[in-house]
Amino acid sequence: MVWCPTLLAEGERGDEVREFLAVLTLVEAFCPWVGPASLGVCTLPARGPSRFFGGEAVLVEKLSVAVAEVLGTTEAVRVGVADGLFAALLAARAEVVVDPGGAAAFLAPWSTAVLRRPDLTVTLKRLGVHTLGQFAALGGREVSARFGSDAAACHRVARGEAGELAGLRDAGITRRLRVASGEVTEGPRQPGFFGGTSVADARAARSFARVQQRLGAEAVVVGRLRGGRGPAERARLVPWGSREVDPHADGAGAAPWPGRLPSPSPVAVLTAPVTTEVVDASARPVRVTGRGLLTADPARLSVGGGPWRDVVAFAGPWPVSERWWSTRRRQARLQVVVDGGAALLLTVERERWWMEASYD
Amino acid sequence: MFVSSPPGLASPPRGPSRPPAGQLPPHRRVLPPELVARARPVSSASARLLPLPAPLVPLFSDGALRRGATTLVTGGPGRGATTLALALLAAASTGSGWCGAVGLADPGVVAMVELGIDLRRVVFIPNPKAGWADAAAELLDGVDVVLVRPPGRARPTAARHLVARARERQVALVVLVDRAPEWPEGPDAALTVTAAEWHGIGRGHGHLRGRRAEVQVTGRRSAGRVITRTLWLPSGTGALAEAGVDGARPARVPATAPCPEPA
């Protein structure tokens, strides 16, 4: 078992998958039957290679040196040998070699928390069972009757009778690695108009998948419409290929939303609105009263601490009072044209102005 | 070594067994099918054109967006250059083509729908950061139209690479920049929004109803001719519309003026 603690979780750039692929290729030089269990964890049968290299300790030594060379640091790899996936994982983390048949004795001092069954661990602790050894000493039929089948599987693992435990293996790892290595370039599928995909669709999907590999899955997005009043509420950007179902999805925009901003809509909707200062002719901040009226005509504004620009025209405010039954939200929107001809959409909420979108 | 000769000269008449005129000579029938397939033009001229929304058709010499060509869209901030660039994608996206937009930081999805873009056919890479050129190059392999907004001035090598790749892959490349010098390569067509003015909004009344914009087109293929058109960019429905010379008002939208919600 080879355990690479730095590669256990995939980052947004996907470097971990590529490094893990390099590790797998290297370990395959020792033994052809290398199986990735999850990202950063791979298993290989120890008996054959250890005979070849002259003992398990030598094999472990050779493996860790070789993998550390690939990853560039000795701390990023741990190798261990034991019977069964679960014991081998712990042996790798502890960097020990457990003799055949010695799995139960090796597991005995470990806390029951390593089973990663928090509920079971708490219950066992209350019963005075703290270690896997104590857990293994319980009767198998009693454990099964009292805690159910999953705990019974844990019990068999603690006794060294079984090696596999649900949750240890990542079912999607093989496919993920094949996609990352370019062997399968099929990206996530987006159904076409009639559910089918053409050659052009597949080609487009492959190019999107390649960008996703390079920049992260969230870098490639598609727009979806949903119901709402403001431009930010009416649309969402979701990663390409995401199967997420939006409960507020509103395909054709058919549902009536009284108070919705009229067309044309702003062509740039800021994902993070920018604080804006709006003042009147005598440089006093402009506010919107509780009745939805401006305290004064806006004369100048400054977006995000930028230069002051004269307001040429404005329309509104259009107050919106939403969700008065739960998260009471009162805001008002103002369309503004500044000198130079740029049009902006401002929102005021709790006496603070934000630039929500611009009409470029 | 083979020496190819023009097809007319390749078959001198051979004795009395020459076939009558109008019928193919026998040796022409035995051409291997692979060779025939290879000799056939890869795509016809019309297949190299992508449709455009009707108001934009007069701006292009072909009346369409040509595959492999680069179109530069410029205009100062707030003049509607983004709207114009997105409108170039609209008809291509509805006509079963795929579109990609790189570097468009905050895409206004609703506005795109109003412009006529099919959202199922457009992907965005809003923040490619330093990888904008790589991302655009990848998209050029897979889609029909790529819209690129470089962050600031584009490096000449990156620009040249993208233009060459677009030509090679037969993809229409649309480049959106604030000022023309930010794109170092000479485009096939350059669209510039020279003037724009919002209509329908006053000091405290009305609402944004349309932007009347003057679009100037220069191009390599138009041989120095400069076309100037006045467009509603966008009109009251959010789509593009041609503005008549007499200054026709934008199409009125049905009364959907916002009103306060009963709270």
Side-chain angles (χ1 to χ4, degrees), chain B residues 144-161:
Chain B
D144 302 285
V145 190
V146 175
L147 166 63
V148 185
R149 187 179 181 116
R153 210 188 137 81
R155 272 179 294 114
T157 45
R160 203 176 313 131
H161 176 69

Side-chain angles (χ1 to χ4, degrees), chain A residues 12 190-193 198 200-205 207-208 210-211 214-215 218-225 229-231 234-237 240 257-272 297-299 309 311-316 318-322 324 328 330 335-337 340-344 359-360, chain B residues 67 76-84 86 96 98-100 105-115 119-129 131 134-135 138-144 149 169 176 178 196 198 201-211 234-238 253 256-263:
Chain A
E12 63 178 29
Q190 185 104 342
F193 190 54
S198 69
D201 293 351
R203 196 166 53 105
S207 74
F208 304 152
R210 278 198 300 274
V211 179
R214 203 182 276 243
L215 299 174
E218 285 74 32
V220 184
V221 295
V222 292
R224 299 230 177 117
L225 283 187
R229 292 190 176 81
R234 286 180 63 189
R236 269 160 60 75
L237 293 171
W240 160 259
W257 284 86
R260 186 155 96 173
L261 274 183
S263 302
S265 297
V267 84
V269 179
L270 306 189
T271 36
D297 283 3
R309 302 163 83 180
V311 172
V312 180
F314 65 94
W318 297 297
V320 178
S321 178
E322 283 185 320
W324 45 265
R328 190 178 158 81
R330 282 171 65 92
Q335 287 178 334
V336 175
V337 178
L344 313 173
Y359 297 79
D360 183 26
Chain B
R67 287 175 176 273
R79 289 227 182 116
T82 312
T83 310
L84 183 58
L86 284 170
S96 81
W98 282 93
C99 306
D106 304 291
V109 177
V110 183
M112 290 180 201
V113 173
E114 290 172 355
L115 280 170
L119 289 181
R120 293 169 303 187
R121 292 275 171 183
V122 183
V123 298
F124 307 97
I125 306 176
N127 301 303
K129 300 188 188 87
D134 291 340
E138 290 284 11
L139 285 192
L140 285 172
D141 276 349
V143 303
D144 302 285
R149 187 179 181 116
R169 305 276 175 192
L176 173 64
D178 279 343
W198 278 99
I201 187 169
R203 287 201 64 87
H205 56 85
H207 68 84
L208 296 174
R209 210 178 271 280
R211 172 168 43 196
S235 71
T237 57
V253 269
T256 51
C259 54
E261 272 290 279

Side-chain angles (χ1 to χ4, degrees), chain A residues 22-162:
Chain A
V23 170
L24 281 179
T25 330
L26 185 125
V27 177
E28 269 167 10
F30 286 82
C31 165
W33 293 286
V34 181
S38 61
L39 195 61
V41 181
C42 68
T43 57
L44 65 159
R47 195 182 298 165
S50 60
R51 265 194 206 146
F52 179 79
F53 287 107
E56 281 159 349
V58 182
L59 174 68
V60 166
E61 176 65 28
K62 277 188 182 294
L63 265 176
S64 28
V65 168
V67 176
E69 219 162 80
V70 167
L71 297 179
T73 161
T74 49
E75 278 136 41
V77 57
R78 297 191 191 177
V79 183
V81 179
D83 290 344
L85 185 65
F86 181 75
L89 197 57
L90 292 181
R93 282 166 64 176
E95 297 194 277
V96 295
V97 174
V98 180
D99 293 329
F106 165 69
L107 290 175
W110 290 82
S111 156
T112 50
V114 295
L115 291 167
R116 300 219 182 150
R117 303 288 192 274
D119 292 350
L120 181 66
T121 307
V122 168
T123 317
L124 288 176
K125 199 172 268 177
R126 287 189 186 144
L127 294 170
V129 176
H130 296 279
T131 64
L132 287 179
Q134 290 167 332
F135 183 43
L138 300 176
R141 291 175 64 181
E142 283 75 14
V143 168
S144 177
R146 170 68 177 78
F147 299 108
S149 58
D150 186 54
C154 293
H155 185 252
R156 281 195 297 279
V157 165
R159 285 186 157 195
E161 294 167 2

